[in-house]
């Protein structure tokens, strides 16, 4: 074995593979198909969305489930892109618009789940929590009515249409959506939304 | 007034095929829709339809929607288009809407039924295909 090869296997960085493998195995154990953390753009949404569709189609899942998972994924990622408080905007050509957050898709006991997490302004947490609690209490028929009602209304101030996106997520989920907040500072909270399909 | 030029868009990965032939009164949106910016994609379509209706660019019109998947911002945009169509029908224009979907696609069927509720004057038809 050459000196170089030995170095590659153990030399100084020998723990990296163990650490990364451990990290990956931990994710696999949790049923995670993929997880993305960092700055998300519409281009990343497209690329991850394509990979997601291919992956769940391969698992011979019926079309209905593929479409539902995909729809929940798109709405969650677009929520991060539009509402994350951690964002970079630049008027370059083409314009740069990146928002930070985390998106995870996995399966557990034969059901898919989609989780998103991102930082929001702490002052928005109560409004968002209130909206989501309201959705949790609705059955599928009530959600269908509510979605329609919101479509007829002009969008809420500053919502960029996001309230309809949350209803779409709740409609495609097979049980009430879960959400939580972790207060980070006086200014910011971390918001998590999980939907089983 | 000069005839309004049609709007034609080829389908892309994230936006549907569009044909708005104002003078012929033929309109079609087909495919998948989850644009990066729904307002900039659908804004000109909404504006074009509104102008065509106001200018009576055609005596009657037929509007076909053949979607496979659309996101919530697209749903909002479709609603805006439909409101213009219903107003035109109420004002006496012959308006027919075809909501086309695959017969196994419950999601698109449900959306079609829900949109139908807002039409009292336009001739709204559900068109399942196999």
């Amino acid at each position: 074995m050459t000196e170089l090869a030995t170095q590659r296997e153990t030399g100084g960085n020998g723990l990296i593979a163990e650490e990364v493998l451990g990290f990956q195995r931990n994710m696999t154990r949790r049923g995670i198909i993929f997880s993305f953390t960092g700055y998300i753009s519409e281009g990343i949404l497209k690329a991850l969305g394509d990979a997601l569709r291919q992956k769940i189609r391969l698992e011979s899942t019926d079309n209905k489930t593929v479409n539902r998972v995909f729809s929940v994924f798109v709405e969650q990622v677009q929520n991060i892109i539009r509402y994350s408080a951690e964002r970079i905007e630049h008027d370059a050509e083409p314009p740069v618009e990146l928002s930070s957050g985390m998106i995870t898709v996995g399966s557990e006991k034969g059901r898919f789940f989609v989780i998103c997490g991102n930082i929001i302004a702490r002052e928005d947490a109560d409004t968002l929590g209130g909206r989501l609690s309201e959705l949790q209490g609705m059955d599928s028929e009530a959600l269908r009515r509510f979605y329609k009602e919101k479509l007829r209304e002009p969008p809420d101030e500053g919502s960029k249409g996001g309230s309809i996106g949350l209803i779409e997520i709740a409609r495609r989920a097979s049980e009430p959506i879960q959400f939580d907040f972790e207060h980070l500072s006086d200014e910011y909270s971390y918001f998590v939304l999980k939907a089983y399909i | 007034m000069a005839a309004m030029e049609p709007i034609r868009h080829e389908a892309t990965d994230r936006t549907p095929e569009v044909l708005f032939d104002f003078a012929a009164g033929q309109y079609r949106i087909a495919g998948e829709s989850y644009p990066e910016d729904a307002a900039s994609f659908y804004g000109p379509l909404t504006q074009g339809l509104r102008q065509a209706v106001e200018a009576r660019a055609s005596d009657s019109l037929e509007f076909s929607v053949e979607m496979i998947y659309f996101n919530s911002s697209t749903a909002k945009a479709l609603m805006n288009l439909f409101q213009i169509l219903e107003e035109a029908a109420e004002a006496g224009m012959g308006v027919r809407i075809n909501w086309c979907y695959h017969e196994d696609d419950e999601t698109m069927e449900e959306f079609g039924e829900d949109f139908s509720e807002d039409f009292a004057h336009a001739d709204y038809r559900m068109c399942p295909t196999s």
Side-chain angles (χ1 to χ4, degrees):
Chain A
M1 195 176 279
T2 66
E3 199 183 307
L4 189 65
T6 314
Q7 260 185 359
R8 269 198 198 131
E9 275 167 32
T10 59
N13 297 324
L15 286 175
I16 289 181
E18 191 185 329
E19 201 181 304
V20 174
L21 180 61
F23 183 68
Q24 190 179 345
R25 280 189 175 150
N26 186 17
M27 304 260 278
T28 308
R29 242 191 332 268
R30 290 163 184 264
I32 291 167
I33 296 169
F34 70 73
S35 182
F36 181 94
T37 305
Y39 282 95
I40 301 184
S41 63
E42 287 283 347
I44 292 170
L45 181 164
K46 173 71 176 62
L48 290 178
D50 286 348
L52 173 64
R53 271 178 164 169
Q54 281 169 3
K55 175 70 172 74
I56 53 182
R57 271 187 194 134
L58 283 178
E59 292 180 11
S60 68
T61 314
D62 60 290
N63 262 337
K64 192 173 155 185
T65 306
V66 176
N67 292 341
R68 282 173 172 248
V69 174
F70 184 72
S71 178
V72 169
F73 169 82
V74 168
E75 300 295 340
Q76 288 203 355
V77 175
Q78 290 196 322
N79 277 344
I80 295 174
I81 293 172
R82 289 169 194 165
Y83 302 112
S84 171
E86 228 181 323
R87 52 190 292 122
I88 302 171
E89 271 178 79
H90 197 276
D91 290 335
E93 195 53 51
V96 177
E97 199 180 354
L98 292 165
S99 301
S100 186
M102 189 214 66
I103 182 88
T104 300
V105 181
S107 66
E108 195 180 294
K109 292 179 188 146
R111 283 190 311 168
F112 290 96
F113 60 83
V114 184
I115 307 172
C116 68
N118 60 273
I119 292 174
I120 59 166
R122 187 163 174 172
E123 60 184 16
D124 295 337
D126 284 348
T127 319
L128 182 56
R131 271 189 199 158
L132 290 166
S133 301
E134 199 181 348
L135 297 181
Q136 277 182 329
M138 292 183 182
D139 63 14
S140 63
E141 196 49 38
L143 287 167
R144 188 175 170 178
R145 296 284 113 216
F146 193 45
Y147 185 103
K148 190 66 202 307
E149 199 181 300
K150 285 283 166 193
L151 273 191
R152 288 198 191 96
E153 284 175 9
D156 300 343
E157 199 65 29
S159 94
K160 302 177 205 167
S163 57
I164 299 175
L166 294 176
I167 309 170
E168 170 71 18
I169 294 168
R171 281 184 78 177
R172 305 300 156 221
S174 59
E175 63 175 67
I177 48 179
Q178 300 170 24
F179 67 94
D180 200 11
F181 297 96
E182 178 79 24
H183 295 301
L184 300 173
S185 67
D186 290 344
E187 244 183 304
Y188 296 111
S189 296
Y190 191 74
F191 163 62
V192 173
L193 180 65
K194 182 172 185 180
Y196 280 98
I197 290 95
Chain B
M1 202 187 106
M4 289 175 68
E5 285 296 311
I7 298 177
R8 277 196 183 86
H9 296 314
E10 298 281 321
T12 71
D13 288 339
R14 302 182 58 168
T15 57
E17 180 193 333
V18 172
L19 173 60
F20 276 25
D21 189 339
F22 302 107
Q26 289 294 320
Y27 298 76
R28 183 167 179 265
I29 301 181
E32 290 205 305
S33 178
Y34 57 113
E36 288 190 22
D37 184 352
S40 70
F41 185 81
Y42 285 98
L45 301 180
T46 311
Q47 208 186 339
L49 178 64
R50 186 172 285 126
Q51 280 172 6
V53 163
E54 280 167 8
R56 285 277 180 152
S58 60
D59 294 332
S60 63
L61 70 82
E62 183 171 18
F63 197 105
S64 299
V65 183
E66 297 167 41
M67 301 300 269
I68 299 164
Y69 163 71
F70 56 84
N71 69 346
S72 59
S73 328
T74 299
K76 186 81 195 170
L78 289 174
M79 188 73 185
N80 292 338
L81 291 167
F82 287 162
Q83 279 168 345
I84 298 169
L85 293 172
E86 173 59 13
E87 282 163 23
E90 196 175 353
M93 195 171 180
V95 176
R96 175 163 159 185
I97 293 120
N98 302 311
W99 183 269
C100 309
Y101 60 97
H102 190 271
E103 59 186 3
D104 295 335
D105 192 341
E106 286 168 33
T107 304
M108 286 303 129
E109 185 177 4
E110 260 187 35
F111 272 122
E113 287 167 0
D114 290 348
F115 280 122
S116 75
E117 290 168 2
D118 285 36
F119 290 102
H121 301 87
D123 175 14
Y124 185 97
R125 301 184 191 188
M126 295 285 282
C127 312
T129 55
S130 52

